[in-house]
Amino acid sequence: MAEFNSKDTAAFKGVWVFCEQREGVIMSTSYQLLSEGRKLANDLGVELAGVVLGSGVKEEYLKSLGGYGADKVYYCDHELLGTYTTDAYTKVICELVEDKKPEIFLIGATNIGRDLGPRCAARLHTGLTADCTHLDVDVAKYKEFLKTTSTIDVDNTVFEENTNLKMTRPAFGGHLMATIICPRFRPQMSTVRPGVMQTQPFDQAGADKTVIENVNVSLSKDDINVEVVEVVKAAKQLVDLIGADVVVTVGRGISKDVETGLKLAEELAGVLGGVVGSSRACVDAGWITADHQVGQTGKTVHPRIYVALGVSGAIQHLAGMQDSECIIAVNKNDTAPIFDVATYGIAGDLFKVTPMLIEAIRNLKASK
């Protein structure tokens, strides 16, 4: 193995994605990151590789990564990698990075990714930007992104031309968006918030031609400082905002009668076959739990239908839902920012409008 020097930026090439698996099944976050990684690899003209650590992962799962953009899959197979431990995964990944030298390494900001990313970055003597919501390497594309998400006068600002990874994430509780680069060290590492990157359609031809490289793993129990005695699964009822086709979100507008407002949202979500979301204001007020929150500091959603009830449309909230296919906004303030992104807008009291919507949908269903 050649000597590893994180400052020798010219020695690094390629985009990698850590493809998380649990019990041999690839997590959906990995497909989102591969789809985004494919764009970055295309802009750089380099190879995209998926990295899988596990034990006995089926070849069909490994091949599927090619269907979402991977040219190659590095598969690290070892019995001690079947269940995640920080020590084992960090050792194996860092040794692989030191050998192959990718310039970009993306990890999902899941419970595992949030633990693994910082450990690897520290051991590799490089930087890590956590909880990213946008990535660019091309300056022109980054400038187009800024035009829709910032107050910067892009046309009259001088940007340095480079191919450093521009990693954008919320800062100061979501009130600012910060773009961070790591120009002096490699790999450029980022954990990416689940749900913010859209998964590209599966390509069977890409899956068929994927190259799987089995990595020789050097690992023993002495390398691991903890022992997983038992894995206990707990069933907790959480709302699946990211996977929902329909999201009905409540905002500060329900404040005059919170109980009724939430009940109306649940009823509307029920007739539409969707789930209830929330703005940050409702979560901060304690009206609804944090797993319902949509926005920069919550979850990013791309449903087929997004209904906003009493949501004003702060920029932090819009960042989490503005890519929805159809946005229906109900707000008594006809100048609310939510109407700027809405497909259909209703200027009215949500407590009067929502029951009318519910009744109209029920009547339409009954007529069919």
Side-chain angles (χ1 to χ4, degrees), residues 145-163:
F145 163 70
L146 289 178
K147 286 181 179 179
T148 60
T149 59
S150 77
T151 57
I152 296 173
D153 184 2
V154 175
D155 293 327
N156 294 308
T157 303
V158 177
F159 288 81
E160 178 187 349
E161 290 294 330
N162 61 64
T163 57

Side-chain angles (χ1 to χ4, degrees), residues 134-177:
H134 187 85
L135 301 169
D136 273 312
V137 291
D138 183 80
V139 173
K141 291 181 179 179
Y142 176 60
K143 289 166 71 173
E144 288 302 312
F145 163 70
L146 289 178
K147 286 181 179 179
T148 60
T149 59
S150 77
T151 57
I152 296 173
D153 184 2
V154 175
D155 293 327
N156 294 308
T157 303
V158 177
F159 288 81
E160 178 187 349
E161 290 294 330
N162 61 64
T163 57
N164 289 318
L165 181 62
K166 298 145 190 69
M167 301 169 277
T168 303
R169 57 150 295 161
F172 295 101
H175 294 287
L176 288 177
M177 295 299 286

Side-chain angles (χ1 to χ4, degrees), residues 4 6 10 15 17 40 44 58 77-78 81 87-88 119 133 137 178 190 203 218 230 235 240 242 245 263 341 351 355:
F4 181 79
S6 63
V15 179
V17 170
L40 300 176
L44 292 169
K58 293 180 180 179
D77 186 11
H78 196 284
L81 297 174
D87 295 324
R119 295 296 186 103
T133 57
V137 291
S190 169
D203 177 20
S218 174
E230 183 183 9
D240 181 16
I242 294 174
D245 268 350
K263 185 176 179 181
V341 299
F351 291 97

